[in-house]
Amino acid sequence: MSQPSVSLICKQVALALLAKRADWIKMPQSDQEQNNAIAGFFSVCGFRQVIGAIDCTHIRIPKESGDVGQYYINRKGFSSLNVQVVCNSNLEIMDIVAHWRGSTHDSRIFNESRIKRRFEQSEFKGRLLGDSGYACTPYLFTPILNPRTPKEEAYNWAHIRTRNTVERCFGVWKQRFRCLLKGFTTKLDNTKLFIVALAMLHNIAVHRNDLLDDEGINDSEEFPLQHPGNHNLRGNACRAAFIEENF
């Protein structure tokens, strides 16, 4: 079979899968679904009111030609798409954004995403956990960069272990579909479709208990880039009150 035929078939399969996207990639809606998600994160190490863990991961793509190509080159020096994911404690992908260029900062992707608007409109009773690349807000808690008290130390300990869920999700997802780890050679528009389709297939596998061993898998950056506007006064005050009450 010729390469063009294989590419066409893969695109048709991806489009057929994406027609069912809303059935397989979705945030919890009902009170019961949200309570279940919150309970799942609480079971990790006792962090309350977390409904999702958020982070971005780079998926390698071929070098783009022309002036636009430079914008796909990430901080590690290769061309990529920077893909934002929100996952639950079962490592299921509940929200995904897969069209931003590799040089785009994680915080910009979140700031322009629909999932941020939904949290701002109070659609969910819980909050997200993110790394220091995001601004701290009432609905997205980040780590304390310089903890000074035992309570802040305890908060950071619980935050890191609970947020690690999304790093494990990336690791398992890429282990399940090695093209996410090694990179794509397909046309850019098709690659964006394939990434979301593979997120759907990952969720289907998790739903059917087709599990992979995630021991030793970690997709995090050793030193995440600090968000320059990470001093949101309302967010910091909300986080401080949460720490005082729960730790």
Side-chain angles (χ1 to χ4, degrees), residues 3-4 6-11 14 59-64 81 179-180 182-195 198:
Q3 183 59 53
V6 173
S7 298
L8 178 60
I9 291 168
C10 288
K11 182 177 181 179
I59 307 296
R60 189 184 293 267
I61 61 171
K63 184 177 181 180
E64 288 290 304
L81 290 172
C179 55
L180 296 168
K182 296 179 179 179
F184 286 84
T185 59
T186 51
K187 293 180 180 178
L188 185 58
D189 287 344
N190 289 347
T191 298
K192 296 173 183 177
L193 297 177
F194 297 157
I195 291 171
L198 293 177

Side-chain angles (χ1 to χ4, degrees), residues 197-245:
L198 293 177
M200 289 181 60
L201 292 176
H202 167 76
N203 284 355
I204 292 170
V206 173
H207 183 74
R208 296 186 176 183
N209 293 317
D210 181 8
L211 305 177
L212 296 177
D213 182 10
D214 66 336
E215 185 176 352
I217 298 174
N218 194 314
D219 191 70
S220 66
E221 292 188 62
E222 186 176 357
F223 301 104
L225 187 65
Q226 182 179 347
H227 186 270
N230 205 14
H231 303 291
N232 181 301
L233 294 179
R234 183 163 170 253
N236 287 353
C238 185
R239 181 178 61 184
F242 177 85
I243 293 172
E244 183 63 29
E245 181 180 350

